[in-house]
């Protein structure tokens, strides 16, 4: 197995991009990544997209996007594991390069979510839950995460204010990310007074509906060095599954797939949680960030809320989390999110993160999660 | 890279399975494959499904199916490239085993297509075409393949009867396959007098709407030998893309992605077309089989129709094609088709194909195609 490096990345401004189609958003983003890497030919590509079929009536996008990127007839593969599709695309791209099958691979993610109504988007997202045991009975994702939040509050004493502090921190970070959908600060009071969605979660606890794409170019480390590129190595990868229905889990406050994926990635990278300098995690709802940090071993079980309150995860804290603004402020075009996490980590490790740059960041991690935790992909990166 | 063998396969009866859900169909099939391989734990799985989101409102099936198969928390990945999703699942499984990342991998495909109306199924399938340049203007797959058929007839003199002979051959083969959806013979007259769908294609030129799944278990050849299993080696793999819209192609009678994918697979296997003993090809419409055989180099350009007429591709012919009954008689649950092709080749190479067994078959090939040829995956297998 060869060592693999990320040598290019691209992301365009996220938001409600009504004037652009899925293919346009993806190709613009992929071209930025190719430019950044300094290559114009790729051997293969992987695209993460959760539900292009339901959102825009278009499956078969791997071939379509390879063609519109001018790369046909290369192999091009779409992968899906709900909101973790982007992270999974990176994992498969890594596998293809590490194994020696290909040298230069594009890894991308895309979702076009605002061509349908909010009601239809909520339905499309609900296809990541267990339709027969959850969806058909009327529950959607805010409701599922509200159950998790309520259980966490009961079990560990997590407060309503601590949930709000996660959103406040991520919007603070996102206010320095010009590509974010909502690049502005919010206050705890604003969160507490925002519209109720599913008790205890309010609208400012929820990540938004977003159009967007992200892309990265990977190749063997040796090739990256020959090209004179900054070498951001992929030193760990993990992928694990869990039941996609909450009702099948022993403890809904514990994200077992995240724990398992992280265990694999830590072992491969030979790292412990305290070795990680920065993390991008899947904060689709404020409670998600809290549970994820516990499952990753970054904080003790039950202490995710306290971590936000004490500022441990802020830009100035011991372990900055979601320096990009996270899904909350940056936006959450579901299939693209996992790759956008990679974009942020690469920017930080290269020292190109502008006002939100973390000094001396050398080791970064991404955690990308599907549904209410039914799948998780974790990667660890290191600057040489 | 390690040599990889198929050590198990499973398939249940295909058809309109209204009493079973997607997860039930898949799990029953996967259990057959595990039994056949003699294993009960797998390291990872890949599932091909074209549009579980549009057909049954369920994405995130990779995790759901791993869980219902009792294999959670293993990594489980859904891949999609329209009707070639099953073939692509095998390719990625092969990559994972060949690279040494995993030892025992389950490769499956599934589609539940009859829970919606015929109109809705036609819409779901149309998401494999270019929605913005084809679908929105009203054309669906029978129409796209009718354009190809008409062009082939004009350019090469292919006759209406030759198209019918492809369906007659495949139904003849399928009449000996008890798992086929339509295991009965038809005549040329029946095809020519069947209901018109899109001129010149009639209903008996078209593969049906089907519920079904298929699964295979793969592992390193060395491990297969230690287990005392018959060794069916994967000696070649290829994957290529083309524009998914017919309007972007120079010649709509030529399947460039099939040509490119086959070129890769032949090179890796060090085989020529005449070295192949049996082939399963993607006969979603009769004209498709004709064009595919030309692109694979099995017959000369323009001679695909003549091959059916002369019996070259029959069970007794020089190169039997679609001994299983093909998509036409066996059925076409789109995401499962590519894996079912593997099931048939493994049966034939093991000598377990019953009345339709080809004597002395040692080298087999599968060709699985997405949309109107926008993606193709080809594999070559050999019995040790």
């Amino acid at each position: 197995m060869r060592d693999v490096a990320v040598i290019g990345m691209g992301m365009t401004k996220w938001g409600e991009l009504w004037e652009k189609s899925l293919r346009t958003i993806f190709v613009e983003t992929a071209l930025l990544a190719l430019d950044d890497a300094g290559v114009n030919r790729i051997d293969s590509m992987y695209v993460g997209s959760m539900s292009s079929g339901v959102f825009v009536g278009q499956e078969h996008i791997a071939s379509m996007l390879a063609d519109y990127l001018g790369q046909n007839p290369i192999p091009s593969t779409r992968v899906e594991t709900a909101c973790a599709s982007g992270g999974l695309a990176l994992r498969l791209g890594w596998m293809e390069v590490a194994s020696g099958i290909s040298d230069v691979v594009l890894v991308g993610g895309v979702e076009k979510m605002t061509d349908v109504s909010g009601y239809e988007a909520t339905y499309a997202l609900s296809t990541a839950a267990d339709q027969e045991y959850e969806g058909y009975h009327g529950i959607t994702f805010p409701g599922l995460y509200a159950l998790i939040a309520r259980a966490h509050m009961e079990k560990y004493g997590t407060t309503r204010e601590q949930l709000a502090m996660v959103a406040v921190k991520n919007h603070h970070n996102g206010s320095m990310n010009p590509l974010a959908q909502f690049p502005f600060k919010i206050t705890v009071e604003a969160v507490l007074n925002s519209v109720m969605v599913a008790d205890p979660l309010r609208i400012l606890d929820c990540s938004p509906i977003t159009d967007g794409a992200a892309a990265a170019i990977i190749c063997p480390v040796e090739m990256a060095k020959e090209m004179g590129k900054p070498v951001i190595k992929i030193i760990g990868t993990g992928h694990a599954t869990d039941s996609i229905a909450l009702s099948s889990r022993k403890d809904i406050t514990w994200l077992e797939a995240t724990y398992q994926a992280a265990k694999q990635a830590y072992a491969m990278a030979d790292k412990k949680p305290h070795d990680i300098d920065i993390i991008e995690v899947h904060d689709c709802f404020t409670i998600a960030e809290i549970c994820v940090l516990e499952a990753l071993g970054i904080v003790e079980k039950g202490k995710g809320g306290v971590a936000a309150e004490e500022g441990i995860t802020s830009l100035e804290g011991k372990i900055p989390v979601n320096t990009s603004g996270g899904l909350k402020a940056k936006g959450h075009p579901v299939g693209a999110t996992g790759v956008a996490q990679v974009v942020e980590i690469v920017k930080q490790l290269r020292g190109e993160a502008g006002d939100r740059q973390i000094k001396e960041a050398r080791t970064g991690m991404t955690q990308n999660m599907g549904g209410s935790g039914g799948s998780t992909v974790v990667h660890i990166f290191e600057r040489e």
Side-chain angles (χ1 to χ4, degrees), chain A:
Chain A
M1 303 289 282
R2 305 188 292 184
D3 286 336
V4 179
V6 184
I7 56 162
M9 45 82 183
M11 184 174 150
T12 44
K13 172 80 176 170
W14 283 5
E16 296 189 4
L17 309 177
W18 293 352
E19 75 286 6
K20 292 180 186 175
S21 69
L22 182 145
R23 74 185 83 193
T24 312
I25 295 171
F26 181 86
V27 168
E28 285 180 358
T29 307
L31 289 174
L32 287 179
L34 290 168
D35 276 354
D36 185 49
V39 299
N40 54 28
R41 286 297 299 173
I42 51 178
D43 297 325
S44 171
M45 62 188 254
Y46 288 87
V47 182
S49 182
M50 176 190 148
S51 196
S52 59
V54 179
F55 278 116
V56 293
Q58 183 69 67
E59 309 283 9
H60 212 182
I61 61 169
S63 291
M64 184 181 84
L65 297 175
D67 183 36
Y68 273 78
L69 194 57
Q71 302 291 334
N72 138 16
I74 62 160
S76 180
T77 298
R78 176 210 173 181
V79 296
E80 182 266 318
T81 185
C83 314
S85 301
L88 191 51
L90 178 66
R91 180 172 160 87
L92 294 178
W94 164 80
M95 197 185 291
E96 185 157 334
V97 175
S99 66
I101 292 169
S102 288
D103 287 330
V104 183
V105 172
L106 186 147
V107 169
V110 63
E111 213 81 50
K112 183 79 177 79
M113 302 173 75
T114 74
D115 286 358
V116 295
S117 68
Y119 171 80
E120 290 168 306
T122 298
Y123 167 73
L125 289 168
S126 80
T127 63
D130 191 314
Q131 283 290 67
E132 290 168 21
Y133 291 91
E134 295 179 327
Y136 294 171
H137 307 282
I139 197 162
T140 57
F141 275 100
L144 291 166
Y145 275 97
L147 291 171
I148 295 174
R150 184 59 69 198
H152 204 277
M153 292 164 92
E154 289 292 328
K155 190 166 182 178
Y156 298 114
T158 299
T159 66
R160 187 41 276 205
E161 287 72 19
Q162 288 168 347
L163 293 171
M165 287 167 191
V166 172
V168 170
K169 165 182 73 69
N170 290 346
H171 269 278
H172 175 81
N173 300 350
S175 72
M176 290 172 267
N177 183 352
L179 302 179
Q181 181 172 13
F182 296 126
F184 51 74
K185 296 178 189 176
I186 59 172
T187 62
V188 168
E189 292 65 38
V191 180
L192 298 182
N193 293 319
S194 65
V195 168
M196 182 66 80
V197 178
D199 191 16
L201 301 180
R202 294 171 180 268
I203 190 82
L204 288 179
D205 288 293
C206 310
S207 59
I209 304 287
T210 313
D211 300 327
I217 310 289
I218 60 176
C219 76
V221 164
E222 293 310 314
M223 182 184 285
K225 286 181 180 168
E226 282 165 25
M227 292 168 73
K229 290 281 158 191
V231 172
I232 310 297
K233 277 170 72 170
I234 300 172
I235 59 171
T237 172
H239 175 202
T241 55
D242 197 355
S243 73
I244 67 170
L246 284 187
S247 56
S248 299
R249 301 199 197 145
K250 281 182 197 151
D251 175 0
I252 65 170
T253 66
W254 179 247
L255 296 167
E256 180 68 15
T258 291
Y259 171 76
Q260 293 285 350
K263 198 167 93 171
Q264 296 167 32
Y266 286 134
M268 180 177 156
D270 195 19
K271 297 283 180 191
K272 302 270 183 221
H274 62 75
D275 296 324
I276 308 296
D277 298 324
I278 46 168
I279 316 183
E280 290 286 305
V281 304
H282 199 92
D283 61 317
C284 46
F285 297 90
T286 47
I287 183 63
E289 177 167 320
I290 288 171
C291 296
V292 166
L293 292 175
E294 296 173 13
L296 291 176
I298 298 296
V299 299
E300 271 177 64
K301 220 166 168 173
K303 300 289 187 194
V306 176
E309 186 167 14
E310 294 182 349
I312 293 168
T313 53
S314 73
L315 287 187
E316 299 75 27
K318 208 174 101 195
I319 170 106
V321 173
N322 283 332
T323 58
S324 68
L327 285 54
K328 178 67 201 80
K330 189 175 60 204
H332 183 28
V334 283
T337 282
V339 183
Q341 293 178 326
V342 178
V343 168
E344 178 68 9
I345 294 294
V346 170
K347 277 187 188 169
Q348 288 282 357
L349 299 187
R350 282 189 190 168
E352 299 175 357
D355 293 342
R356 63 187 191 281
Q357 179 66 45
I358 304 300
K359 281 184 194 153
E360 318 269 320
R362 182 157 179 262
T363 308
M365 180 186 240
T366 55
Q367 180 271 350
N368 186 204
M369 182 159 75
S372 58
S375 56
T376 299
V377 183
V378 170
H379 282 96
I380 304 176
F381 304 83
E382 196 159 73
R383 174 172 48 86
E384 273 220 333

